[in-house]
């Protein structure tokens, strides 16, 4: 038979109201009474009703995290950094994937409204600012390495527009003429990858280069996408191939480099390759990949610490210099 709060009170020799105050984190309970209640709960295998506590406004000490897909190595590393910091601060995490489709964000917002989670970190965004700002009345919502135009939401992110601008600028300085650009989205002004798109366009415009649409590759995310891209490039005449490919992802870059080198297309002599994220695997392929380093550990740490401060109603500041993205030069470009 399941123990009740009354059973705990009787076992501890205390009133039900005292046990109730303890379960609701009331500050004025003696250490002796706390010890007796703990002992009674353990002896009776008593677990307080989470739902009931949430109805009374007791914090769940749980935060939600929405990512596009955890199989993406960057998001896997980011979620790990988020979870490590959460655990250090006494919080557990609830991870939800949306696989770049609509619907899961609404479910996460509903969890916030129902007090199942105390706060929400969005690493992927579906809704417009009006929807997200409305749900802030139920708890804090923080954007991690993403953005919503015009929204009054706390944000922690790497400036990947600047990082892309600098990386493309480096390639132009090295004399590359035909630069292919990959994006996870559709290369539109708004939507997936828009900040990196702007960085690429600005870098090309700054030196008077026109953008060749035949060298723009869309909706690339995975190692297999990199292989398919390599096959497309190999099918072209050598004169129609790019000098260098900015892949926008180490995962894509690894697939690209592996296929090219296995099919006698030399990297970087025939086609150079640049990745993004500086994942450990970028150093392990046959030609180590030049890539943009994102400080994912700091990104995860600052995001969770900021959200917890918001939950507690406290101010929080971090050093934006710790989130600078830098080009890491290796053999692929």
């Amino acid at each position: 038979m399941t123990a009740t709060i009354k059973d705990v009170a009787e076992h501890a020799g205390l009133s039900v109201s005292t046990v109730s105050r303890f379960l609701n984190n009331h500050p004025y309970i003696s250490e002796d009474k706390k010890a007796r209640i703990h002992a009674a709960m353990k002896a009776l295998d008593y677990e307080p009703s989470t739902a009931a506590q949430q109805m009374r406004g007791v914090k769940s000490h749980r935060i939600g995290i929405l990512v596009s897909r955890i199989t993406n190595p960057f998001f896997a590393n980011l979620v790990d950094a988020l979870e490590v910091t959460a655990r250090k601060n006494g919080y557990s995490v609830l991870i939800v994937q949306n696989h770049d489709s609509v619907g899961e964000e609404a479910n996460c917002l509903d969890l916030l409204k129902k007090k199942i989670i105390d706060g929400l970190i969005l690493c992927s965004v579906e809704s417009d600012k009006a929807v997200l700002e409305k749900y802030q009345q139920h708890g804090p919502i923080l954007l991690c390495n993403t953005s919503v135009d015009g929204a009054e939401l706390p944000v922690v992110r790497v400036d990947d527009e600047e990082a892309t601008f600098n990386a493309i600028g480096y390639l132009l300085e090295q004399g590359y003429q035909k630069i292919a650009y990959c994006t996870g989205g559709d290369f539109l002004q708004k939507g997936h990858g828009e900040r990196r798109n702007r960085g690429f366009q600005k870098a090309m415009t700054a030196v008077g280069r026109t953008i060749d649409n035949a060298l723009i590759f869309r909706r690339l995310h995975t190692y297999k996408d990199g292989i398919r891209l390599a096959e497309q490039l190999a099918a072209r005449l050598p004169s129609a191939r790019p000098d260098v490919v900015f892949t926008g992802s180490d995962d894509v870059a690894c697939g690209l480099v592996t296929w090219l080198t296995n099919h006698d297309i030399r990297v970087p002599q025939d086609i150079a390759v640049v990745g993004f994220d500086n994942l450990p695997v970028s150093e392990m392929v046959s030609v180590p990949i030049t890539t943009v380093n994102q400080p994912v550990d700091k990104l995860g740490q600052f995001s969770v610490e900021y959200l917890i401060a918001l939950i507690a109603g406290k101010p929080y500041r971090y050093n934006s210099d710790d989130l600078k993205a830098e080009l890491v030069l290796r053999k692929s470009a």
Side-chain angles (χ1 to χ4, degrees), residues 120-228:
L120 177 61
I121 295 176
L122 295 178
C123 305
S124 176
V125 177
E126 301 169 14
S127 302
D128 58 26
K129 69 171 187 172
V131 173
L132 297 178
E133 288 175 349
K134 175 184 175 183
Y135 271 88
Q136 280 189 295
Q137 65 182 300
H138 304 297
I141 300 170
L142 183 138
L143 305 179
C144 176
N145 223 32
T146 188
S147 59
V148 177
D149 285 345
E152 294 294 326
L153 292 166
V155 179
V156 177
R157 68 167 179 255
V158 174
D159 189 346
D160 48 2
E161 178 178 335
E162 179 185 58
T164 303
F165 178 88
N166 291 337
I168 299 299
Y170 170 79
L171 297 176
L172 290 166
E173 288 173 2
Q174 297 305 304
Y176 289 104
Q177 299 298 311
K178 293 183 289 183
I179 300 178
Y181 176 81
C182 303
T183 176
D186 293 311
F187 198 61
L188 303 174
Q189 290 297 106
K190 301 294 181 183
H192 191 108
E194 64 183 80
R195 298 196 308 275
R196 294 187 193 181
N197 295 346
R198 286 196 299 269
F200 169 66
Q201 292 165 331
K202 287 179 180 178
M204 296 290 278
T205 301
V207 295
R209 293 284 188 89
T210 57
I211 294 173
D212 184 352
N213 193 57
L215 295 179
I216 303 298
F217 299 93
R218 299 163 173 83
R219 293 188 170 275
L220 302 183
H221 301 275
T222 67
Y223 182 91
K224 289 184 178 179
D225 290 336
I227 291 175
R228 284 190 284 270

Side-chain angles (χ1 to χ4, degrees), residues 297-312:
D297 288 342
K298 289 294 185 183
L299 186 63
Q301 176 191 333
F302 294 161
S303 295
V304 171
E305 289 178 348
Y306 194 174
L307 186 72
I308 291 173
L310 291 167
I311 292 168

Side-chain angles (χ1 to χ4, degrees), residues 156-159 293-302 305 316-326:
V156 177
R157 68 167 179 255
V158 174
D159 189 346
N293 178 60
Q294 291 202 85
V296 66
D297 288 342
K298 289 294 185 183
L299 186 63
Q301 176 191 333
F302 294 161
E305 289 178 348
Y316 180 79
R317 297 186 70 180
Y318 62 89
N319 187 349
S320 58
D321 288 341
D322 289 335
L323 293 179
K324 288 285 186 183
E326 297 178 345

Side-chain angles (χ1 to χ4, degrees), residues 84-152:
V84 166
T85 304
R87 182 158 33 87
K88 284 180 180 177
N89 287 274
Y91 278 77
S92 61
V93 300
L94 191 158
I95 302 162
V96 179
Q97 303 178 78
N98 69 358
H99 298 283
D100 294 316
S101 60
V102 177
E104 290 303 328
E105 183 186 282
N107 292 334
C108 287
L109 293 172
D110 194 48
L111 292 175
L112 188 64
K113 183 178 180 180
K114 292 177 178 177
K115 306 300 182 185
I116 304 298
I117 55 177
D118 297 333
L120 177 61
I121 295 176
L122 295 178
C123 305
S124 176
V125 177
E126 301 169 14
S127 302
D128 58 26
K129 69 171 187 172
V131 173
L132 297 178
E133 288 175 349
K134 175 184 175 183
Y135 271 88
Q136 280 189 295
Q137 65 182 300
H138 304 297
I141 300 170
L142 183 138
L143 305 179
C144 176
N145 223 32
T146 188
S147 59
V148 177
D149 285 345
E152 294 294 326

Side-chain angles (χ1 to χ4, degrees), residues 37-48:
I37 294 169
H38 272 301
M41 290 173 64
K42 185 174 181 181
L44 299 171
D45 195 25
Y46 174 78
E47 287 291 339

